[in-house]
Amino acid sequence: MKKVLIMILAVFLGNQAYAQSDDPVVMKVNGREVLRSEFAYLYRRDCATQSQPLTAKKYAEQFVNRKLKVLAAERAGLDTGFVFRKQQENYRIQLMQLQLPGRALIDSLALRLYANQQTNVGRVQVAQIFRRLPQNITPHRLHAEEQRMDSIYRALSSQPDADFTGWVKQYSDDQRPLWIDRVQTTTEFGDVAFSLPKGSYSAPFFTAEGLHILKVIDKDELPRGKSKENLAGQLWRSNTQYAGLESVAENLKAECRYTPDQVGLNELLSKGETSQTLFLLGEHPYNGAMFKRFAASYPQALKRQLDAFTTKSLLDYASRNLVNDNPDTHYALLEYREDQLATEMTDREIGQPTVDDRAGLATYFKFHKSDYKWDSPRYKGAVLHCADKKTAKAAKKMLKKLPWAEWESILQKTLNASGEEKVQIESGLFAEGDNKYIDKLVFKKGDFTSDKSKPFTIAVGRKEKAPDSYTEVLDAVRKDYQNYLSTRWIEHLKESGKVEINQEVLKTVNNL
């Protein structure tokens, strides 16, 4: 494992590449170049949210760490999974909605649809059989999950009166019935949920989160004013609402260099299908096979299908080019992508492994025990509410000889074994103010009145100034342990990588 190489590159008169470029390279991370514009975009955006912004030099340290995590995620193949790619596409579509030409027309069309009640503006309550798919799912597991959901769907289809709730309990990763509206859900999920009649269920379908089979339990019409603002966004994304967008598409044709191929178009309109090119957008051909796939999800007359296919193709092409033509849009997409990868890789390397790492947590606590001393003592024990004095005395004597974790189960097996609850226990780690009985009996503060059915209240346990085990301060230890492992992981990434920073270019970021 080689040591980290941080090369400070000086810009001198002979370096024409840096001197002449409007957007010079500010750093290289494992050979990948980072332009000044990318670094400046993120630096300024993050500075805007901080009361005391970092200098560009200090921020560069955080920036490098993030890039190293992203590159590690790419090496692990996290950027190739179906779920990850679907998330990126959904975000791209959302980002484009407010930027494409024709937004005013879309808004006016949404208002018209709203006024005419041509779209569902209510809420729906759904239950679902849901299989969560991780971003790094293997093709083998993805195929297995698809087969399982298809099998469940076939079983439901053959048993119309089957108990859907039972299938949910047995197979679903999310068993909550949900009320949703268009604001609260993704396009894919909402399109299915809002299109189903009450009491019916869907075929299996994908979203960025996983695989779903939905059942609509109930529908509720909302006041119209609460749903109007959602329709414009639906129109941009929906595969079923192209009517009225033709004028938007017409305005985009020149910008997208739309070139029709009359031979292919004529064959499609006369025969209903073709394998030939229908039109070009820029240099990219759109052919009959692409149209066929689109038409399968858009049941309309042939001419309407062709108009809708052309409209959607123009909107998609324009949105992709907008990314290339607008640096801020490009970097917003890049930031979203890299944040997803860095977060997923960190969770994979640090978060998930430490959840059940009892040995690691215990060892870390052992060497850092002094960090977890309490400002004031805690009482580790229990409050016992007893039916009589004899029971209280027997319980106290019994528990003092047993491990704290076994107290509750032992009382149930002994003093409460007859079915009559002679003693009730409240165990835990109590600070002053946590429990009125402990406050009075242990910390000699406050007062309480015992329950008439169990008038004898005693405390069993001991005061402690610091925790004995990491389990008593689990959240704090886990957080610190993860930070420790994260620091070591970053050090490893740096030691096994190569970072080159052009300090002269970095200095210019503050002046842009």
Side-chain angles (χ1 to χ4, degrees):
M1 198 166 56
K2 59 183 180 180
K3 294 183 178 180
V4 62
L5 175 60
I6 305 293
M7 300 182 62
I8 310 302
L9 305 178
V11 176
F12 50 90
L13 291 176
N15 191 334
Q16 294 297 319
Y18 283 110
Q20 295 177 5
S21 174
D22 292 333
D23 194 8
V25 174
V26 69
M27 67 176 68
K28 293 182 182 180
V29 182
N30 286 356
R32 181 170 299 183
E33 294 183 344
V34 177
L35 299 179
R36 181 176 61 184
S37 58
E38 177 189 346
F39 180 85
Y41 171 85
L42 291 172
Y43 174 57
R44 288 177 175 170
R45 194 220 54 185
D46 288 350
C47 282
T49 64
Q50 298 175 0
S51 56
Q52 294 182 329
L54 298 174
T55 64
K57 186 175 182 179
K58 281 289 185 182
Y59 183 76
E61 297 176 11
Q62 298 180 5
F63 186 90
V64 166
N65 292 346
R66 179 171 169 272
K67 282 288 184 183
L68 288 168
K69 292 178 182 179
V70 169
L71 294 173
E74 290 175 352
R75 288 194 298 273
L78 300 188
D79 59 329
T80 63
F82 170 82
V83 175
F84 175 80
R85 289 185 284 108
K86 191 66 176 175
Q87 287 175 334
Q88 305 311 301
E89 177 62 14
N90 287 344
Y91 183 70
R92 183 187 68 81
I93 293 172
Q94 293 171 23
L95 200 60
M96 294 308 103
Q97 288 176 22
L98 297 176
Q99 301 185 51
L100 282 175
R103 178 71 195 192
L105 179 59
I106 293 294
D107 290 340
S108 66
L109 180 60
L111 289 173
R112 187 164 72 251
L113 286 174
Y114 168 71
N116 295 333
Q117 295 186 352
Q118 293 179 4
T119 187
N120 191 331
V121 294
R123 300 187 305 161
V124 294
Q125 187 183 32
V126 298
Q128 63 171 325
I129 300 170
F130 170 56
R131 301 297 297 173
R132 183 173 287 105
L133 302 179
Q135 292 185 358
N136 57 339
I137 189 170
T138 63
H140 176 74
R141 183 182 167 192
L142 179 61
H143 180 64
E145 292 289 0
E146 287 184 271
Q147 286 187 318
R148 177 188 297 193
M149 291 293 267
D150 287 339
S151 176
I152 292 172
Y153 178 66
R154 286 193 297 271
L156 286 170
S157 299
S158 64
Q159 305 171 37
D161 298 326
D163 180 15
F164 191 81
T165 303
W167 289 90
V168 170
K169 288 181 179 179
Q170 185 172 359
Y171 293 106
S172 183
D173 290 334
D174 186 349
Q175 301 180 4
R176 304 166 299 161
L178 302 171
W179 278 103
I180 61 169
D181 59 35
R182 285 287 186 176
V183 173
Q184 296 172 311
T185 188
T186 62
T187 303
E188 297 93 340
F189 195 92
D191 285 347
V192 174
F194 280 80
S195 67
L196 291 171
K198 182 177 175 180
S200 63
Y201 51 83
S202 73
F205 66 97
F206 281 101
T207 68
E209 286 73 36
L211 264 170
H212 311 255
I213 297 176
L214 289 187
K215 180 177 181 179
V216 173
I217 301 171
D218 199 1
K219 290 194 171 187
D220 180 29
E221 198 73 16
L222 289 176
R224 292 164 66 188
K226 291 187 178 180
S227 296
K228 178 169 56 179
E229 64 273 14
N230 303 331
L231 301 187
Q234 290 174 230
L235 288 174
W236 280 110
R237 303 187 300 268
S238 176
N239 285 335
T240 59
Q241 296 285 0
Y242 293 103
L245 298 183
E246 290 87 351
S247 57
V248 177
E250 199 64 36
N251 293 333
L252 290 173
K253 283 184 176 179
E255 181 181 332
C256 298
R257 291 182 292 151
Y258 169 80
T259 307
D261 188 317
Q262 288 303 141
V263 175
L265 289 171
N266 291 338
E267 182 174 347
L268 174 66
L269 293 174
S270 62
K271 296 182 178 180
E273 62 179 5
T274 183
S275 60
Q276 299 193 59
T277 297
L278 301 175
F279 53 84
L280 297 175
L281 296 181
E283 304 299 326
H284 186 71
Y286 290 74
N287 57 37
M290 298 164 71
F291 167 80
K292 185 177 180 179
R293 288 194 297 271
F294 170 82
S297 63
Y298 190 74
Q300 295 287 337
L302 180 61
K303 182 62 168 65
R304 289 188 178 182
Q305 287 178 325
L306 177 59
D307 290 341
F309 174 67
T310 305
T311 297
K312 184 177 186 301
S313 300
L314 284 161
L315 290 170
D316 288 347
Y317 184 83
S319 72
R320 286 192 295 271
N321 282 348
L322 187 61
V323 173
N324 297 329
D325 297 339
N326 188 328
D328 281 356
T329 303
H330 170 75
Y331 289 137
L333 287 169
L334 179 64
E335 177 192 15
Y336 179 79
R337 176 185 184 275
E338 293 193 344
D339 281 347
Q340 294 285 99
L341 288 174
T343 300
E344 178 72 13
M345 194 63 188
T346 301
D347 185 55
R348 179 172 169 174
E349 288 289 321
I350 308 299
Q352 296 176 17
T354 58
V355 170
D356 296 317
D357 185 7
R358 298 179 182 179
L361 291 166
T363 300
Y364 183 85
F365 174 76
K366 177 181 178 181
F367 286 97
H368 299 85
K369 190 173 181 178
S370 61
D371 296 340
Y372 302 101
K373 287 183 178 179
W374 294 310
D375 295 333
S376 58
R378 302 289 191 270
Y379 188 75
K380 183 178 181 180
V383 178
L384 305 181
H385 305 279
C386 305
D388 51 62
K389 190 172 183 179
K390 182 179 178 181
T391 299
K393 185 176 181 181
K396 187 171 185 178
K397 182 178 180 181
M398 180 189 308
L399 296 184
K400 281 189 173 181
K401 300 177 182 179
L402 296 171
W404 178 48
E406 299 178 11
W407 286 5
E408 190 167 349
S409 63
I410 289 296
L411 289 178
Q412 296 301 324
K413 293 175 182 178
T414 54
L415 299 179
N416 291 337
S418 65
E420 178 186 356
E421 189 181 54
K422 292 184 177 182
V423 57
Q424 181 181 346
I425 182 171
E426 298 177 61
S427 61
L429 193 64
F430 303 97
E432 187 177 319
D434 287 349
N435 184 289
K436 63 182 178 180
Y437 304 105
I438 295 295
D439 284 350
K440 175 63 176 176
L441 297 172
V442 176
F443 297 113
K444 310 303 180 185
K445 294 184 178 181
D447 205 353
F448 66 84
T449 301
S450 294
D451 190 289
K452 291 182 180 180
S453 64
K454 297 181 180 63
F456 291 88
T457 302
I458 62 173
V460 182
R462 65 181 186 273
K463 282 185 181 180
E464 294 185 347
K465 294 182 178 180
D468 285 332
S469 167
Y470 76 90
T471 58
E472 297 172 16
V473 282
L474 178 59
D475 289 342
V477 174
R478 181 177 285 146
K479 180 180 178 181
D480 292 344
Y481 182 47
Q482 288 178 345
N483 288 338
Y484 164 73
L485 292 180
S486 180
T487 300
R488 289 187 58 189
W489 178 42
I490 289 295
E491 289 174 353
H492 168 72
L493 291 176
K494 287 181 176 179
E495 289 174 358
S496 59
K498 180 179 180 181
V499 179
E500 306 169 63
I501 300 177
N502 187 309
Q503 297 290 355
E504 295 302 319
V505 173
L506 186 62
K507 289 176 184 177
T508 66
V509 172
N510 287 319
N511 301 324
L512 291 177

